[in-house]
Amino acid sequence: MSRPSVSYYRATVDEPTLRTAADGRIAARVCVVGGGFAGLNTALGLVERGVRDVVVLEAERIGHGASGRNGGFVFGGFSRGEADLLRELGEARARTLYAGTTAAVETIRSRIDHYAIDCERVEAGVIWANWFRDPQVLRARQSLLAKHFDVDWQWLPQAQLRDLLLTRRYADALFEPSAFHFHPLKYIHGLAAGIEAQGVAIHEGAPAVAMERHGSGWLVRTPEAIIEAEHVVLACGGYLAGLRRQVDAAVLPIATYVMVTEPLGDRMGEVIRTRAAVYDTRFAFDYYRSLPDSRLLWGGRISVLDRSPEAVRRLLYRDLLKVFPQLDGIAVDYAWSGLMSYARHEMPQVGRIDEGLWIAQAFGGHGVAPTTFAGELLASAIAENDCRWQEFADYGLVSALKPAGFVGAQLSYWWLQARDAWKEWRELAIPS
Ligand SMILES: Cc1cc2nc3c(=O)[nH]c(=O)nc-3n(C[C@H](O)[C@H](O)[C@H](O)COP(=O)(O)OP(=O)(O)OC[C@H]3O[C@@H](n4cnc5c(N)ncnc54)[C@H](O)[C@@H]3O)c2cc1C
């Protein structure tokens, strides 16, 4: 592996010099804590609504967290499945929330165009490939999405799928045509440039270390600055702000892994003949996509352990060869992990938790579009008193029961992984 500790994204982005850390006493209408998608989308949403009196604090560099490390799939929906949403919220409210994410996919598209963000967008959809022979899981989801959410995922029969993905691992698949994929860190930098061009300061190396009430607003302290703000938005994902116990206690940081191979050149055609991104139907699914320079980005696994790049490479390489044994021997140039933030209810926690104090966190492994949705909701709430964020009220700050929650999450992951393995074994043992 050539650069084991750097992600492919960081290695291929033209990173500006480190932005200044905040300094002295700063007055602002809004202080956003966290420079990932949730924080930056809130800041951009504010700026687009004419609120420019905004300060963004990022402890490291923007995109340091999940937002700059993810698979780059941009698609509708949440970590929580659509059937659960329907059951918990009823049809009208479930549709409203789901539609917020598909609208967010369009918002991302239009921002890429509007701000001329060069982020290697690939408009080729996403394939959800069935690891199992039983087609029921595909049929049920396809009809549920069509019937209750007005979303059309197309059926991709096995024969057609095998022309696109040269593996015998999958049966049929569904194709989500309105989805796309991109280089998330380049997109982050484009968002930041759009925000800064409109006069908003983004500070890096500026961790918020304390927060207290100050009149009707808040004081946020960094090692070198005090920000006095009417509103504070906490958007720190699985990297936990450490500013309010109740907020941090409501999420479990869970690691997931990604690797990127050497450029495959013509060998790519031996395994993948589509530009669509792919994931599968298991609970612990693989996800992958070909990159513009003919590398393969491969991700998967969920763990409470944040493993070393070498351990990530070993694990994911095994997973890759289970699907594409033809690639045995290829080199892996990059491997990394990132932390997702999960609530026990698997839904984002979005909204106001105190006067002038807002949160956007717990987007799980499905956060690119939902963070954009959340940013829009919070920005319009702060700028225009819009109350739509209350659609998330059912999914509040429930304790993640740490540290027992970590054990529970790992056990439930192993259990669901074992259930998938059992289903696979049974299908192999019982000929169709
Ligand atoms: C490996 C991986 C693959 C994924 N793949 C996909 C995918 O393909 N598609 C998809 O939709 N979703 C995917 N996700 C999920 C998605 O990336 C996340 O849900 C989303 O990026 C979360 O954004 P966020 O802004 O909430 O958090 P983050 O991006 O984690 O940002 C939080 C930021 O807050 C900063 N911070 C923390 N504390 C402080 C503090 N006190 N002061 C200042 N700053 C602070 C951190 O440094 C960090 O930069 C993936 C996640 C991972 C980890």
Side-chain angles (χ1 to χ4, degrees):
M1 203 161 37
S2 55
R3 306 186 61 191
S5 59
V6 181
S7 84
Y8 168 81
Y9 297 133
R10 268 227 187 262
T12 53
V13 82
D14 204 4
E15 201 137 41
T17 50
L18 187 70
R19 291 169 171 86
T20 58
D23 191 21
R25 194 166 181 113
I26 303 169
R29 182 154 171 223
V30 185
C31 175
V32 175
V33 183
F37 283 142
L40 294 180
N41 279 304
T42 306
L44 186 57
L46 285 164
V47 165
E48 287 178 345
R49 288 169 176 80
V51 180
R52 297 199 163 78
D53 203 1
V54 180
V55 169
V56 179
L57 300 176
E58 165 52 49
E60 307 280 339
R61 301 218 63 176
I62 55 165
H64 166 77
S67 305
R69 303 165 183 245
N70 61 56
F73 288 43
V74 185
F75 46 11
F78 299 96
S79 281
R80 188 124 187 98
E82 301 86 23
D84 292 318
L85 288 183
L86 266 183
R87 202 186 57 249
E88 289 158 3
L89 302 174
E91 171 142 345
R93 292 186 54 217
R95 272 171 82 102
T96 303
L97 281 188
Y98 191 93
T101 66
T102 48
V105 173
E106 295 313 316
T107 303
I108 296 170
R109 272 197 178 96
S110 62
R111 282 181 172 161
I112 292 172
D113 295 338
H114 181 77
Y115 296 101
I117 303 177
D118 173 13
C119 58
E120 297 166 14
R121 168 169 54 159
V122 178
E123 289 284 358
V126 167
I127 293 172
W128 190 45
N130 197 359
W131 190 267
F132 307 104
R133 282 207 305 258
D134 176 9
Q136 188 45 32
V137 59
L138 298 188
R139 296 230 179 272
R141 191 159 186 205
Q142 187 188 35
S143 77
L144 183 120
L145 283 171
K147 186 166 164 209
H148 300 287
F149 295 92
D150 275 340
V151 173
D152 178 27
W153 284 18
Q154 298 156 8
W155 191 265
L156 202 52
Q158 187 179 60
Q160 217 173 312
L161 186 67
R162 286 192 176 167
D163 288 339
L164 304 177
L165 304 173
L166 280 71
T167 171
R168 303 191 70 75
R169 267 289 155 187
Y170 309 125
D172 309 306
L174 293 179
F175 177 60
E176 184 180 354
S178 57
F180 65 97
H181 53 101
F182 67 177
H183 187 306
L185 194 55
K186 288 190 175 175
Y187 180 63
I188 287 261
H189 282 285
L191 285 182
I195 294 166
E196 290 172 323
Q198 300 180 73
V200 165
I202 299 176
H203 297 287
E204 293 179 316
V209 292
M211 183 181 69
E212 70 214 49
R213 264 264 167 238
H214 178 67
S216 60
W218 297 91
L219 287 184
V220 178
R221 293 175 194 274
T222 73
E224 286 115 20
I226 299 178
I227 292 92
E228 195 178 320
E230 198 182 316
H231 298 272
V232 173
V233 178
L234 300 180
C236 296
Y239 293 79
L240 306 184
L243 299 173
R244 265 239 171 161
R245 196 204 305 233
Q246 176 204 20
V247 173
D248 290 357
V251 291
L252 276 183
I254 301 278
T256 174
Y257 311 131
V258 183
M259 69 176 188
V260 169
T261 69
E262 64 180 326
L264 298 182
D266 292 343
R267 287 190 76 179
M268 182 62 84
E270 292 170 22
V271 287
I272 297 178
R273 294 186 183 154
T274 171
R275 301 206 67 207
V278 183
Y279 65 120
D280 71 67
T281 52
R282 289 167 304 163
F283 170 75
F285 53 83
D286 305 321
Y287 52 92
Y288 52 94
R289 61 193 183 93
S290 59
L291 299 176
D293 54 2
S294 88
R295 297 172 188 270
L296 180 61
L297 177 145
W298 187 278
R301 305 232 167 200
I302 304 170
S303 173
V304 297
L305 298 177
D306 200 3
R307 288 187 165 86
S308 71
E310 184 48 35
V312 168
R313 189 199 68 83
R314 263 199 317 274
L315 275 174
L316 294 186
Y317 201 76
R318 272 206 315 259
D319 292 346
L320 164 69
L321 294 186
K322 278 186 207 153
V323 181
F324 297 116
Q326 313 87 302
L327 290 182
D328 196 8
I330 56 157
V332 171
D333 283 348
Y334 304 91
W336 66 92
S337 66
L339 294 176
M340 307 174 287
S341 61
Y342 268 97
R344 254 165 63 209
H345 47 59
E346 296 173 344
M347 278 294 279
Q349 296 163 328
V350 178
R352 191 174 57 208
I353 56 165
D354 197 347
E355 203 48 49
L357 182 59
W358 304 82
I359 52 163
Q361 63 177 14
F363 296 93
H366 206 119
V368 178
T371 46
T372 306
F373 179 26
E376 284 293 277
L377 289 180
L378 294 195
S380 63
I382 293 169
E384 297 153 356
N385 276 325
D386 181 350
C387 289
R388 280 177 304 144
W389 59 270
Q390 289 172 354
E391 291 293 345
F392 280 94
D394 290 41
Y395 300 108
L397 290 176
V398 190
S399 166
L401 303 176
K402 287 180 273 191
F406 283 113
V407 180
Q410 189 66 63
L411 288 175
S412 116
Y413 173 73
W414 281 335
W415 157 246
L416 291 162
Q417 204 179 22
R419 202 184 59 178
D420 280 348
W422 165 246
K423 186 169 175 187
E424 185 183 346
W425 180 84
R426 252 190 22 211
E427 285 191 346
L428 289 173
I430 307 165
S432 54

